[in-house]
């Protein structure tokens, strides 16, 4: 009677150990979990940045996005990239167009904030790293 119970338990334990050796907990935590939580934080910050704008700024951003998108996707402004015969969307032009027209993207805002923090650290005499 005990032998019959031992076989399924042994089979389950062996199967679980084989499954867990292929993917350790640290790999899951450092890969999947951290990536997911950092993405959630980034999206929360992006949404907070855009939601904090005034209605006039949101309307201006909507107009600027349409204008800059059309400008950056024109055939003469597209970027040549290997493997794409019709060229690709000109992202740098799009971002600089939005910035010049007074509606920078969140990434531009974040980069400026980081540069400001570096400048403040240098002014206080700390290392810029």
């Amino acid at each position: 009677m005990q032998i019959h119970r031992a076989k399924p338990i042994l089979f389950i334990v062996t199967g679980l150990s084989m499954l867990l050796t292929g993917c350790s907990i640290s790999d899951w935590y450092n890969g999947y979990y951290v990536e997911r939580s950092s993405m959630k934080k980034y999206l929360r910050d992006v949404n907070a940045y855009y939601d904090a704008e005034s209605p006039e700024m949101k309307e201006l951003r909507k107009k600027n996005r349409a204008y800059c998108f059309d400008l950056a996707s024109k055939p003469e402004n597209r970027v040549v990239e290997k493997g794409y015969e019709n060229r690709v969307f000109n992202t740098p032009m799009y971002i600089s167009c939005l910035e010049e027209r007074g509606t920078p993207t969140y990434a531009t805002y974040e980069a400026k904030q980081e540069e400001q923090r570096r400048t403040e650290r240098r002014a206080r005499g700390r290392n810029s790293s």
Side-chain angles (χ1 to χ4, degrees), residues 49-50 53 61 65 94-96 98-99 102-111:
Y49 173 74
Y50 290 122
E53 292 180 339
R61 181 174 297 283
R65 279 182 176 165
Y94 175 76
I95 292 171
S96 65
L98 285 175
E99 194 173 337
T103 53
T105 62
Y106 175 74
T108 306
Y109 166 77
E110 192 176 35

Side-chain angles (χ1 to χ4, degrees), residues 74-91:
K74 285 184 178 179
E76 61 269 14
N77 293 333
R78 289 179 165 256
V79 179
V80 176
E81 198 167 299
K82 186 177 179 180
Y84 296 93
E85 61 186 51
N86 293 332
R87 301 177 174 197
V88 295
F89 183 77
N90 194 341
T91 305

Side-chain angles (χ1 to χ4, degrees), residues 13-121:
V13 169
T14 305
L16 285 175
S17 65
M18 289 175 61
L19 179 67
L20 291 177
T21 56
C23 176
S24 68
I25 297 298
S26 65
D27 289 343
W28 175 81
Y29 181 80
N30 290 332
Y32 175 75
Y33 175 75
V34 172
E35 182 178 310
R36 184 181 58 159
S37 64
S38 65
M39 182 57 81
K40 281 182 181 178
K41 181 186 179 306
Y42 176 78
L43 290 175
R44 186 174 9 120
D45 293 346
V46 168
N47 289 336
Y49 173 74
Y50 290 122
D51 290 342
E53 292 180 339
S54 66
E56 296 83 20
M57 187 68 156
K58 288 180 181 181
E59 188 61 35
L60 178 63
R61 181 174 297 283
K62 187 186 290 185
K63 290 178 185 175
N64 287 347
R65 279 182 176 165
Y67 173 78
C68 294
F69 183 82
D70 288 342
L71 182 68
S73 57
K74 285 184 178 179
E76 61 269 14
N77 293 333
R78 289 179 165 256
V79 179
V80 176
E81 198 167 299
K82 186 177 179 180
Y84 296 93
E85 61 186 51
N86 293 332
R87 301 177 174 197
V88 295
F89 183 77
N90 194 341
T91 305
M93 178 183 270
Y94 175 76
I95 292 171
S96 65
C97 175
L98 285 175
E99 194 173 337
E100 289 169 5
R101 296 175 66 87
T103 53
T105 62
Y106 175 74
T108 306
Y109 166 77
E110 192 176 35
K112 285 183 180 179
Q113 292 295 325
E114 182 60 35
E115 183 59 36
Q116 185 179 9
R117 284 191 290 270
R118 261 191 238 117
T119 305
E120 289 172 1
R121 272 189 244 125

